[in-house]
């Protein structure tokens, strides 16, 4: 059995695969693969671990990988997989939803950062501009309270629920929108399902935690933003393509939105000259959602474990769909 890994992966996962008697090959490069590199890598693979979401496992790629039994994603994003084609061909597709608390920590921190302008205050102190004490400093960085406000969560999966838990700790009212109503989670977390329009209208903070699909691409655009409070703060740690960055920039510069916190962008790495990077009411981080070593190792090992299960003709633990026996 042979497994191809698209980018460098934590050694603990590689050791686990090799201990199971699996031959492991890696691309050897820490960048998105060219189409040719990717197709060559999976051509004779029984399994593949996708470290990033940049390589497209479409119908053409699957046709060129006749032995492929499983495509395992180290992460939860799956927009690079043609799920219908994979299901038709009997190829398992798995994700690693074991890092949700880590992403929620960063997302909530980014939300507080954007609301309280901590990124600006940090630069202010470091650059030596804080030369005298006084109320003018407080006025310079006047922000928004987070406690006792309303948090609207778009996408109520594990990360969304973790955001709700953190919001409850700040005595926030929790609203959520998800295609599936979740009464048990509502009772446990004190969350209320509302329509997207109501979520937009009532929320002081909006956390975008849904998957990027064709239906969710640019769902946060001019029409949606027009329904939000002028003081609303949007925080995005899912996928940049869910937000129309041009519409977001327009709203942040015209006073239609209060602030934003962004960990993800439509194009990554983001262009240093991108308009959003020039705004003071935007807190930024470079796609750091899972940048905790113990979490990265757990994700990699979880992906490897599912690969081993499938290659042993066992059911994976974290499939995106179930294949018929």
């Amino acid at each position: 059995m042979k497994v191809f890994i698209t980018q460098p992966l934590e050694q603990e996962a590689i050791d686990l695969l090799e201990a199971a008697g699996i031959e492991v090959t890696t691309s050897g490069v820490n960048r998105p693969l060219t189409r040719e590199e990717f197709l060559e890598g999976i051509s004779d693979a029984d399994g593949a671990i996708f470290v990033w979401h940049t390589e497209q496992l479409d119908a053409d790629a699957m046709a060129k990988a006749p032995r492929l039994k499983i495509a395992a994603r180290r992460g939860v994003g799956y927009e690079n997989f043609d799920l219908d084609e994979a299901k038709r061909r009997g190829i398992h597709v798995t994700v690693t939803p074991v890092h949700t608390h880590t992403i929620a920590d960063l997302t909530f921190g980014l939300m507080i950062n954007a609301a309280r302008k901590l990124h600006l205050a940090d630069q202010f102190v470091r650059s030596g501009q804080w030369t005298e004490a006084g109320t003018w400093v407080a006025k310079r960085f006047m922000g928004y309270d987070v406690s006792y406000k309303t948090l609207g969560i778009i996408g109520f999966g594990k990360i969304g629920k973790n955001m709700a838990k953190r919001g409850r700790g700040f005595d926030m009212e929790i609203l959520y929108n998800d295609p599936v109503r979740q009464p048990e989670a509502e009772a446990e977390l004190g969350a209320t399902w509302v329509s997207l329009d109501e979520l937009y209208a009532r929320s002081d903070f909006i956390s975008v935690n849904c998957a990027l699909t064709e239906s969710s691409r640019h769902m946060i655009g001019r029409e949606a933003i027009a329904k939000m409070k002028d003081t609303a703060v949007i925080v995005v740690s899912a996928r940049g393509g869910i937000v129309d960055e041009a519409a977001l920039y327009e709203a942040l510069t015209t006073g239609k939105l209060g602030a934003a916190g962004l960990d993800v962008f439509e194009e990554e790495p983001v262009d240093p000259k991108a308009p959003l990077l020039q705004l003071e009411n935007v807190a930024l981080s470079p796609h750091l959602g899972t940048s905790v070593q113990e979490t990265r190792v757990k994700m990699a090992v979880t992906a490897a474990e599912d690969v081993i299960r499938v290659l042993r003709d066992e059911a994976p633990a974290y499939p995106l769909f179930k294949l018929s026996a």
Side-chain angles (χ1 to χ4, degrees), residues 77-126:
Y78 53 86
E79 66 270 20
N80 56 320
F81 298 132
D82 184 335
L83 299 183
D84 290 337
E85 182 67 13
K87 191 172 185 179
R88 189 182 73 80
R89 290 177 175 270
I91 299 173
H92 293 273
V93 179
T94 63
V95 291
T96 56
V98 295
H99 59 307
T100 51
H101 64 286
T102 304
I103 294 180
D105 283 350
L106 179 131
T107 307
F108 209 88
L110 196 59
M111 189 174 81
I112 295 174
N113 189 354
R116 295 300 304 271
K117 303 182 180 180
L118 299 182
H119 56 298
L120 301 179
D122 180 89
Q123 294 173 11
F124 181 78
V125 175
R126 291 177 186 275

Side-chain angles (χ1 to χ4, degrees), residues 12 20 72-73 83 141 144 150 170 180 190 194 218 240 242 290-291 304:
E12 290 87 341
R73 170 82 168 92
L83 299 183
F141 301 108
Y144 303 108
T150 298
F170 281 69
V180 180
V194 295
H218 281 191
I242 300 170
T290 61
S291 60

Side-chain angles (χ1 to χ4, degrees), residues 176-245:
Y176 82 95
N177 179 271
D178 192 274
V180 180
R181 288 286 301 270
Q182 302 178 50
E184 292 185 7
E186 290 175 17
E188 177 187 352
L189 300 171
T192 302
W193 185 94
V194 295
S195 67
L196 273 176
D197 283 353
E198 185 174 351
L199 185 147
Y200 294 149
R202 291 176 54 187
S203 299
D204 299 297
F205 295 88
I206 296 175
S207 180
V208 180
N209 303 110
C210 58
L212 175 61
T213 64
E214 284 308 308
S215 60
S216 67
R217 186 176 297 278
H218 281 191
M219 69 179 292
I220 306 296
R222 288 181 176 83
E223 183 177 345
I225 291 172
K227 300 171 183 176
M228 300 176 188
K229 297 180 179 181
D230 291 350
T231 55
V233 177
I234 295 179
V235 61
V236 189
S237 62
R239 285 290 183 269
I242 300 170
V243 176
D244 182 339
E245 293 182 0

Side-chain angles (χ1 to χ4, degrees), residues 10-49:
E10 283 69 21
Q11 189 62 43
E12 290 87 341
I14 295 174
D15 291 344
L16 192 65
L17 291 165
E18 292 179 338
I22 296 170
E23 179 185 350
V24 178
T25 62
T26 64
S27 68
V29 297
N30 196 14
R31 58 165 171 76
L33 302 184
T34 66
R35 183 67 171 178
E36 292 73 20
E37 290 170 336
F38 172 58
L39 293 179
E40 181 181 354
I42 65 169
S43 62
D44 60 348
D46 298 283
I49 295 179

Side-chain angles (χ1 to χ4, degrees), residues 150-314:
T150 298
L151 171 61
I153 301 170
I154 300 175
F156 212 54
K158 292 186 178 182
I159 297 172
K161 292 183 181 69
N162 268 281
M163 286 296 292
K165 290 178 182 178
R166 285 152 180 75
R168 287 296 302 276
F170 281 69
D171 295 302
M172 302 181 84
E173 178 184 10
I174 309 299
L175 308 178
Y176 82 95
N177 179 271
D178 192 274
V180 180
R181 288 286 301 270
Q182 302 178 50
E184 292 185 7
E186 290 175 17
E188 177 187 352
L189 300 171
T192 302
W193 185 94
V194 295
S195 67
L196 273 176
D197 283 353
E198 185 174 351
L199 185 147
Y200 294 149
R202 291 176 54 187
S203 299
D204 299 297
F205 295 88
I206 296 175
S207 180
V208 180
N209 303 110
C210 58
L212 175 61
T213 64
E214 284 308 308
S215 60
S216 67
R217 186 176 297 278
H218 281 191
M219 69 179 292
I220 306 296
R222 288 181 176 83
E223 183 177 345
I225 291 172
K227 300 171 183 176
M228 300 176 188
K229 297 180 179 181
D230 291 350
T231 55
V233 177
I234 295 179
V235 61
V236 189
S237 62
R239 285 290 183 269
I242 300 170
V243 176
D244 182 339
E245 293 182 0
L248 181 62
Y249 175 82
E250 180 182 295
L252 290 167
T253 54
T254 60
K256 184 60 196 77
L257 284 177
L262 304 176
D263 184 51
V264 290
F265 304 85
E266 292 194 65
E267 298 293 335
E268 296 182 355
V270 66
D271 185 343
K273 297 182 180 179
L276 283 170
L277 273 61
Q278 317 311 315
L279 301 181
E280 289 194 342
N281 55 345
V282 181
L284 306 164
S285 57
H287 206 144
L288 297 181
T290 61
S291 60
V292 174
Q293 183 60 27
E294 61 186 288
T295 297
R296 288 291 181 109
V297 170
K298 188 174 182 180
M299 292 165 63
V301 167
T302 299
E305 288 173 340
D306 260 350
V307 168
I308 293 170
R309 289 188 185 99
V310 169
L311 296 187
R312 288 176 175 171
D313 293 323
E314 300 171 6

